[in-house]
Amino acid sequence: MPLWQPLPASMRALTGDQKGPAVSTHPLGGCAMGASGTHGAVNHLGQVFQGQGTDVHPDLVVLDGSIIPTSLGINPALTIATVAQRAIDRLRVLWRLTDADPTPPTPVTAPRVYRQPSTLYATAARQRIPTTIEVTEQLHAWVNPDDWTHALWPEGHRLALRLTLRFQPVEALALLKPNPDARTLRLDPQHSRLEFALINGQESRVGSAFERGEVVLTAPLSGQLRFMYREASTAWQRATRAGWAWLINRGLRDTVLHLLGRDSPSSSSAHLSTAERLRGLLQLATRAGEVRRFDYSLRTLNATAQSQAPWVLQLQQAWQGQDLAGHKRLTYARRGNPWTQLMSMRLTQHPGRPAWSNADIPMQVNLSYFAEQGVPLLRLLRFDTMPDALADLGSLAAWVSRVLLHTHVWTFRKPDTPPSRPVHRLPGPIPDLPAPEIIDLDVGPAAVRIRLTRYARHHSRPVLMIHGYSASGTTFAHPAVRPNLAETLWKQGHDVWILDMRTSPGLPTSSQPWTFEEVAYNDIPEAVDHIARATGHAQIDIVAHCMGSAMLWMALLGDLPTQATPTDARPALRAALKGRIRRLVISQVAPKVAFSPANVMRAYLARYLRQFMPLGRFDFRPEHPTLADTLLDRLLASQTYPDAEFSMENPFWPPWRQASWIGTRHRMDALYGRDFNALNLSVGMLDAIDDHFGPMNLASVSQAIHFARWRCLTDHQGNPVYVTPARMAAAFTFPCLYVHGEENGLSDISGMHLFRDFVDSLGPQFSERLVCAPIPGYGHQDCLIGKRAHHDVFPHITRFLQ
């Protein structure tokens, strides 16, 4: 039998026959042995008791695993066989089937036990302390002035609303009772509040209003949340709702690919008729179309104005003692996503809503809140024993998982299989550019090398390009991006050099657990020194992207040892580094960095989970996928994306089109957040995505967890030693252009503001050296590999370098 399977055998074909490995079980108990009929069903020979005493049926014997009274903790096969052999030897004598008299049994002394079995179910047994949990949630949103009846806030500002909800403690198992009223959480008014905040400008991130803006109104909250209860519907309504969504999302394409023979037929689907397939589809749709609701019923208490502005006082009066209502809906729908549905609440009743308008306030769970406050969504308060607590929480998690799986089983789909093609993760020939010159440099220890690729324009000023982590030099030079940045700069008259550090997926050392310091202190100074000596230029220009920028700044800002060390083997070259930079372009990451809210949450979780994670090699496209890889890919298919990108991944027309790049993309985004806006990339670039990203090491990238915590560069132990005013003043001696996508899902655009403010605090001479270029409509990686990057991004770089 399979260890697990998400659907019954007749419906497994709908999920690609996915099931766990085959296992055999050893059920024990059910006919347990005892001293008498009061304590068991059989005696030590397997003879069945006639009643409550010790009398047995003389010819009725049970000898299998059912007479073993409890789990043994190990494979019970030998124990079962031994007990049966012992009983048979004695029963042969009792039944006069042999003349031999077996050896008399030796006396058996009952072992001492912690708790007598008879007391486990007795009325006088010790009362178990129930596992008690506390749930916390914070939601926030911008207020739309077009759907607001109160006096408007000052022009040029934005108003944000935030709800912090902490619910009273509740027993975990009480939430599993079938009565819908049992799944009701009541607010704790002492720790629940409503807040309005005002911020100047057109900030895009709601949290910034409460970080850098002014809180103008607060009010405690009371009320309750009813969660995960079923919305009334008929089987036909559910089947229609989910079936139509499946047909548009994925169903038509899956059906056409199956008819064309381009899918991967499962072993269980081969014998199914069309009628059986349709019956299974209908059964699944009636479950997926079910709606689970989260209904919020809130009330504001004593509102307090933090400002005496007339519009704030009017806001205070309007929101004092008012009822609020909102809801979440979990169901399978067109472009529906379980995590989006769980993190999005629509505030449908509030004092500011116009009577003539149906406009709700769409609120989102603030993921940064849990990381910043160190407060988990669900907190364990009291429990009897840790095994009991884990069992209770496991039961709750299993129930939630079952509901999610039944509702969104089609969402957890297997990505399209990419076609077999050679992967080229190092820069190579580019049309219209000279043939690349390849230079390999030893950076020690043994067999550790870096690679420089040069598109030569002799006697011109050299420019060095440094890639990010898990990416390679193809970020700057690849035939799928035309014109790419290397091509653009070469045509502008630059001598182009591209560095592939030891972490480049094009090199065999990429999956080793390097610290960022090892790469920063050795690879970059060695490359800069070689270019300076090879070209005869005392200074060069540098373009550094993402973690390439972070490592360059670490090399500039880190302490210089008095002598070489294994981590810092080139202190002299590093000391000369800042004097060899004429102009610097950094992309997406600076010494001060703010990760996106989703990545802040990832970092918060990783701080606890990294002890249990296999921090080794990680592939974005495994060559030989295992069952674990397949399960991971199905889970990652449920990541949230904008509707337009969902349609790119699941094209409705033509129905035979496949998106072979989404498996790699999902694995990247699981680590980094939304790494690029897919709408900004060409089809050729997406098809060649495996040329740009490849094997890496989770231990290395986990250093970024500390970046998210401190919002600046740290060493591998998490110490924020690099970014101080004195270090920056000493190292920042050159002009710097900072390019950052405004829709970056990895490092938030607010990181640009952090770095700008930090540099401004150093003095006007440093402020003049920093030029910031936010790029509207762009994310992280697409600033360099986007199909219109040559029009929207590269001109900033070429103008700055000239």
Side-chain angles (χ1 to χ4, degrees):
M1 62 179 290
L3 181 63
W4 53 264
Q5 62 183 41
L7 295 174
S10 61
M11 301 166 63
R12 286 206 306 262
L14 299 174
T15 57
D17 198 20
Q18 200 70 55
K19 58 183 182 293
V23 296
S24 61
T25 59
H26 298 276
L28 301 175
C31 191
M33 69 172 70
S36 65
T38 305
H39 300 94
V42 299
N43 65 9
H44 65 103
L45 299 180
Q47 296 173 299
V48 179
F49 291 116
Q50 290 186 358
Q52 301 296 316
T54 59
D55 294 337
V56 298
H57 294 283
D59 54 356
L60 181 59
V61 175
V62 178
L63 287 177
D64 62 6
S66 65
I67 72 173
I68 306 298
T70 186
S71 173
L72 304 177
I74 59 173
N75 190 310
L78 291 178
T79 303
I80 295 171
T82 302
V83 170
Q85 181 66 51
R86 173 184 176 277
I88 289 171
D89 289 342
R90 285 155 180 76
L91 289 172
R92 289 174 63 195
V93 176
L94 292 175
W95 292 341
R96 298 181 179 179
L97 299 178
T98 179
D99 296 332
D101 187 12
T103 304
T106 57
V108 177
T109 303
R112 297 179 62 183
V113 295
Y114 170 71
R115 191 185 303 171
Q116 291 294 333
S118 59
T119 67
L120 292 177
Y121 308 102
T123 56
R126 177 178 61 86
Q127 291 294 320
R128 177 178 178 271
I129 300 174
T131 301
T132 305
I133 60 174
E134 179 185 75
V135 177
T136 302
E137 185 178 39
Q138 188 179 86
L139 303 114
H140 58 194
W142 292 115
V143 177
N144 186 352
D146 296 333
D147 299 310
W148 196 249
T149 58
H150 310 319
L152 289 181
W153 48 92
E155 188 175 354
H157 292 66
R158 299 193 75 179
L159 185 67
L161 168 63
R162 183 166 73 182
L163 305 177
T164 302
L165 310 176
R166 181 178 295 184
F167 298 94
Q168 296 176 6
V170 62
E171 295 181 13
L173 294 184
L175 302 177
L176 300 180
K177 294 180 180 178
N179 180 10
D181 292 334
R183 293 196 287 273
T184 300
L185 301 176
R186 289 173 174 78
L187 279 179
D188 179 358
Q190 293 184 344
H191 299 96
S192 302
R193 63 188 181 276
L194 171 147
E195 298 168 285
F196 283 99
L198 186 71
I199 188 169
N200 187 14
Q202 295 300 314
E203 283 285 346
S204 59
R205 194 167 64 90
V206 185
S208 61
F210 296 90
E211 294 171 4
R212 301 190 294 117
E214 174 190 4
V215 175
V216 296
L217 183 73
T218 62
L221 287 171
S222 63
Q224 66 179 26
L225 164 64
R226 292 182 62 208
F227 76 99
M228 279 288 196
Y229 75 92
R230 291 185 174 93
E231 185 177 273
S233 62
T234 65
W236 176 248
Q237 288 174 323
R238 296 193 297 272
T240 302
R241 179 191 298 128
W244 175 251
W246 170 78
L247 183 67
I248 302 299
N249 287 346
R250 187 83 180 184
L252 177 62
R253 189 157 71 102
D254 287 350
T255 302
V256 170
L257 292 176
H258 173 73
L259 294 176
L260 295 175
R262 290 168 54 184
D263 63 344
S264 300
S266 61
S267 59
S268 66
S269 65
H271 66 279
L272 294 180
S273 65
T274 302
E276 289 173 322
R277 289 174 181 272
L278 292 176
R279 189 182 305 115
L281 179 66
L282 181 62
Q283 292 172 348
L284 191 57
T286 56
R287 285 183 174 270
E290 178 182 76
V291 177
R292 295 279 184 158
R293 289 184 64 95
F294 295 67
D295 280 352
Y296 296 77
S297 300
L298 312 176
R299 183 173 181 81
T300 60
L301 302 177
N302 299 321
T304 302
Q306 306 295 331
S307 168
Q308 296 303 307
W311 72 274
V312 175
L313 297 178
Q314 181 182 349
L315 189 69
Q316 176 191 18
Q317 183 178 4
W319 286 70
Q320 175 85 21
Q322 296 294 315
D323 292 327
L324 313 177
H327 68 261
K328 300 176 182 176
R329 297 176 81 249
L330 180 68
T331 187
Y332 185 76
R334 171 69 172 134
R335 300 192 183 98
N337 182 277
W339 316 120
T340 299
Q341 292 171 354
L342 290 175
M343 292 190 297
S344 303
M345 187 266 275
R346 301 196 69 84
L347 194 63
T348 56
Q349 177 184 340
H350 59 87
R353 178 175 179 172
W356 64 87
S357 171
N358 292 325
D360 306 328
I361 298 180
M363 307 196 73
Q364 299 290 324
V365 172
N366 181 14
L367 296 176
S368 300
Y369 170 75
F370 304 111
E372 293 166 357
Q373 301 296 320
V375 177
L377 173 68
L378 186 149
R379 188 157 61 105
L380 190 61
L381 293 183
R382 292 185 298 276
F383 55 89
D384 190 60
T385 65
M386 183 55 71
D388 288 335
L390 294 176
D392 293 345
L393 294 179
S395 298
L396 182 61
W399 175 73
V400 173
S401 300
R402 179 171 58 84
V403 172
L404 280 175
L405 184 61
H406 284 177
T407 305
H408 277 278
V409 64
W410 282 316
T411 300
F412 300 102
R413 62 195 182 278
K414 182 180 178 182
D416 295 334
T417 302
S420 178
R421 58 175 290 270
V423 177
H424 304 286
R425 295 195 176 106
L426 291 171
I430 301 294
D432 301 331
L433 293 191
E437 302 174 14
I438 308 301
I439 302 98
D440 292 321
L441 302 176
D442 292 322
V443 291
V448 177
R449 289 187 160 196
I450 61 175
R451 171 173 165 148
L452 285 169
T453 304
R454 183 185 188 185
Y455 299 95
R457 187 181 284 274
H458 297 286
H459 311 298
S460 297
R461 184 174 301 281
V463 57
L464 171 64
M465 303 187 205
I466 307 174
H467 59 80
Y469 189 70
S470 76
S472 70
T474 54
T475 300
F476 309 104
H478 193 278
V481 183
R482 297 296 310 278
N484 48 62
L485 185 56
E487 181 181 354
T488 299
L489 292 179
W490 187 87
K491 291 181 178 180
Q492 290 285 332
H494 293 273
D495 182 15
V496 175
W497 295 72
I498 298 176
L499 169 62
D500 276 276
M501 299 180 286
R502 68 182 75 186
T503 58
S504 167
L507 299 179
T509 53
S510 65
S511 59
Q512 296 185 30
W514 308 111
T515 65
F516 288 167
E517 292 97 308
E518 289 177 293
V519 184
Y521 293 171
N522 297 283
D523 297 14
I524 295 176
E526 181 69 30
V528 171
D529 177 70
H530 177 86
I531 295 171
R533 289 187 291 105
T535 62
H537 283 79
Q539 290 188 318
I540 68 172
D541 296 329
I542 297 180
V543 178
H545 173 66
C546 190
M547 288 302 139
S549 169
M551 293 183 215
L552 174 61
W553 281 108
M554 292 168 73
L556 291 167
L557 298 171
D559 287 327
L560 289 170
T562 55
Q563 58 183 3
T565 66
T567 299
D568 193 351
R570 292 160 177 78
L573 297 185
R574 196 154 65 85
L577 183 60
K578 67 178 180 180
R580 286 177 161 171
I581 300 177
R582 188 186 74 97
R583 285 179 174 254
L584 172 64
V585 178
I586 57 176
S587 171
Q588 316 309 319
V589 171
K592 288 283 188 178
V593 59
F595 284 96
S596 65
N599 276 347
V600 171
M601 185 64 178
R602 282 184 179 89
Y604 171 68
L605 294 175
R607 285 162 55 189
Y608 299 95
L609 297 178
R610 63 180 302 182
Q611 302 177 38
F612 309 100
M613 295 169 58
L615 296 180
R617 179 186 173 110
F618 184 80
D619 289 282
F620 297 127
R621 182 185 174 184
E623 294 183 8
H624 305 288
T626 63
L627 175 63
D629 289 321
T630 303
L631 295 177
L632 177 63
D633 287 335
R634 284 187 175 274
L635 175 63
L636 299 183
S638 66
Q639 293 180 92
T640 59
Y641 293 105
D643 287 349
E645 294 192 33
F646 179 92
S647 297
M648 285 188 67
E649 292 192 1
N650 302 273
F652 177 72
W653 198 265
W656 52 84
R657 182 192 302 167
Q658 291 183 291
S660 60
W661 47 273
I662 62 176
T664 296
R665 195 238 179 131
H666 291 167
R667 285 178 168 243
M668 290 170 51
D669 291 355
L671 289 178
Y672 302 138
R674 185 164 162 253
D675 199 52
F676 55 78
N677 183 341
L679 297 175
N680 289 337
L681 303 189
S682 66
V683 174
M685 173 59 230
L686 290 171
D687 290 340
I689 192 171
D690 291 302
D691 289 355
H692 291 75
F693 309 97
M696 42 84 76
N697 192 284
L698 292 176
S700 296
V701 79
S702 67
Q703 187 169 344
I705 295 172
H706 306 304
F707 294 3
R709 178 185 179 189
W710 292 102
R711 307 185 81 178
C712 67
L713 304 181
T714 72
D715 62 19
H716 69 280
Q717 295 178 328
N719 301 310
V721 297
Y722 292 107
V723 189
T724 65
R727 290 175 185 265
M728 182 60 69
F732 192 15
T733 60
F734 40 79
C736 177
L737 170 67
Y738 186 2
V739 176
H740 203 296
E742 289 188 350
E743 297 180 7
N744 194 323
L746 190 157
S747 55
D748 195 78
I749 185 65
S750 61
M752 175 177 282
H753 307 315
L754 281 177
F755 188 51
R756 172 86 268 177
D757 293 343
F758 176 71
V759 172
D760 289 347
S761 69
L762 300 178
Q765 70 273 29
F766 296 98
S767 297
E768 294 173 357
R769 294 172 187 162
L770 178 63
V771 178
C772 292
I775 310 296
Y778 277 77
H780 186 81
Q781 202 76 16
D782 42 314
C783 277
L784 296 176
I785 62 175
K787 59 188 176 183
R788 288 185 55 82
H790 67 281
H791 181 272
D792 300 328
V793 184
F794 296 172
H796 293 279
I797 299 174
T798 56
R799 284 194 299 266
F800 177 78
L801 294 182
Q802 290 178 352

